[in-house]
Amino acid sequence: MDIDPRRLRVLHEVARRGGVMRAAEALYLTPSAVSQQLAQLEREVGLALIDRSQRSVSLTPAGRVLAGYAERVEEELIEARRELTRFTERLAGPVRIAAFPTVIKHVLVPAMRELAERHPKIAPVIHEIYGQPALQELRLGAVDVLITEQDMSLPALSQPSLITRLLYVDEYRIVVPPGWPDPPATVADLIRLPWVASEPTQACGQALERLAGLHGFEPRKVHVITEFGPTLALVAAGHGVAIVPTLALLDVPEGEVRVSEVRDVGARRLDAVTRVSRTRSGEPDPVQAVVIGAIEEATAALETSLRGRLGEPPVEPSDGDRP
């Protein structure tokens, strides 16, 4: 019998929350996706797990038994992994990390280099996935560590089953084409300019909406782009101005775009998000803890290097934003 642990997690949430709708909300899935996962699980075990004879969904006796085991399976596996680590005194195994391109290149690659030297048996597995799909994968157990971004004006992700650690405060810059004779110096200069905008769900998209709302203008979005590479290429070619985080400027050749004098645009926060441990000891998975430590070290080194290049002090989070 080959059972996907992600489907066990779905079954456990249905039992815990008392229905498909509440389970879907907890897992950030649609009710249809939860029903599909349950149907597939029934095919895997060859038994009916859901009683669909009534208006409200309930578990069959077999479903209740399997749901009871579902949570214990995860707890026991993590506990066994911890105990084996004590015997071997070596950390080993895969850790699945979800992130987006700038973090993969400038944070995860250096962190993996350090991990390879200190803990060669740890095997980071990186998925380029972000937003709600990544959060769903984290809650379902397909991802162990999720790196998120969002505008600092928004509250940090807070869910009872998740732990959020602040990694880095990445200040925004407004970039303009290098050939423009009169680059903007104030927010008022930006009002009538064309924008190469980010999606509203992305941190830079959130920053543009916030900036426009504060100063009472409607940005003229001539392009809406997801990745920073194409955004900066369009700006360099003279198609508009854009808000980008400082981290995105590391890959830009000198002179390709101009960083405007407009400041106080805000910043985005980068967070490492993990699931709350359900083990008897309550301690985090030791391998994940080491990986997160390496990510934090790589982020700190990047911040020091970046601020040194720009000749600026680090952006300090407020007390409410500290992990």
Side-chain angles (χ1 to χ4, degrees):
M1 184 184 299
D2 187 12
I3 300 176
D4 190 323
R6 291 177 295 180
R7 298 189 181 104
L8 283 178
R9 181 182 291 273
V10 170
L11 180 65
H12 170 66
E13 288 295 337
V14 170
R16 181 183 176 194
R17 309 283 176 177
V20 170
M21 293 293 293
R22 291 180 179 177
E25 291 175 0
L27 294 168
Y28 291 87
L29 297 172
T30 64
S32 175
V34 169
S35 297
Q36 291 173 13
Q37 293 282 334
L38 293 174
Q40 182 60 36
L41 182 59
E42 288 179 319
R43 287 192 287 271
E44 290 174 351
V45 301
L47 292 169
L49 303 174
I50 305 297
D51 183 356
R52 299 177 177 85
S53 63
Q54 302 177 16
R55 292 184 62 181
S56 61
V57 173
S58 61
L59 300 187
T60 65
R64 288 194 295 271
V65 169
L66 189 57
Y69 279 103
E71 183 175 11
R72 296 202 296 273
V73 166
E74 182 178 8
E75 292 176 357
E76 293 298 332
L77 284 174
I78 295 176
E79 202 70 42
R81 193 178 187 184
R82 182 174 293 106
E83 290 299 317
L84 290 174
T85 299
R86 291 173 56 190
F87 280 109
T88 61
E89 295 183 354
R90 297 291 296 275
L91 296 169
V95 175
R96 299 154 297 184
I97 309 168
F100 43 94
T102 50
V103 165
I104 292 172
K105 179 174 183 179
H106 297 295
V107 176
L108 295 187
V109 169
M112 289 174 65
R113 189 181 304 122
E114 290 300 314
L115 283 170
E117 293 180 2
R118 301 178 189 175
H119 305 283
K121 291 191 176 183
I122 291 180
V125 179
I126 296 176
H127 299 257
E128 186 184 334
I129 180 174
Y130 39 88
Q132 285 299 321
L135 188 57
Q136 291 172 7
E137 292 294 280
L138 176 68
R139 295 186 68 91
L140 287 172
V143 165
D144 301 309
V145 181
L146 169 61
I147 310 300
T148 64
E149 62 138 25
Q150 69 177 42
D151 191 69
M152 283 291 289
S153 67
L154 300 175
L157 178 65
S158 177
Q159 296 289 336
S161 60
L162 301 177
I163 296 175
T164 300
R165 301 170 178 83
L166 178 63
L167 289 176
Y168 182 46
V169 177
D170 193 8
E171 190 174 355
Y172 297 126
R173 298 288 192 273
I174 292 180
V175 291
V176 303
W180 281 10
D182 297 311
T186 67
V187 174
D189 298 333
L190 299 169
I191 292 177
R192 291 182 174 82
L193 295 178
W195 285 88
V196 182
S198 298
E199 292 285 351
T201 55
Q202 294 180 279
C204 290
Q206 295 161 357
L208 178 56
E209 295 303 316
R210 173 175 48 77
L211 187 70
L214 285 173
H215 295 275
F217 71 95
E218 183 67 29
R220 181 159 62 91
K221 302 177 183 179
V222 293
H223 303 285
V224 179
I225 307 296
T226 300
E227 302 294 342
F228 295 129
T231 295
L232 291 163
L234 285 165
V235 171
H239 293 286
V241 301
I243 295 177
V244 298
T246 305
L247 195 58
L249 296 175
L250 287 175
D251 300 322
V252 181
E254 185 175 355
E256 185 167 295
V257 298
R258 179 184 295 182
V259 179
S260 79
E261 297 178 6
V262 180
R263 302 297 296 272
D264 299 325
V265 183
R268 68 173 179 170
R269 60 181 294 143
L270 304 183
D271 293 307
V273 186
T274 56
R275 296 184 302 278
V276 172
S277 174
R278 297 180 180 176
T279 62
R280 290 189 300 271
S281 65
E283 297 177 1
D285 180 285
V287 178
Q288 291 182 25
V290 166
V291 170
I292 291 171
I295 292 173
E296 290 174 334
E297 287 183 18
T299 305
L302 173 65
E303 180 176 11
T304 300
S305 172
L306 188 57
R307 296 297 169 184
R309 287 176 54 180
L310 297 175
E312 300 174 353
V315 176
E316 291 291 339
S318 63
D319 291 340
D321 293 315
R322 296 182 186 279

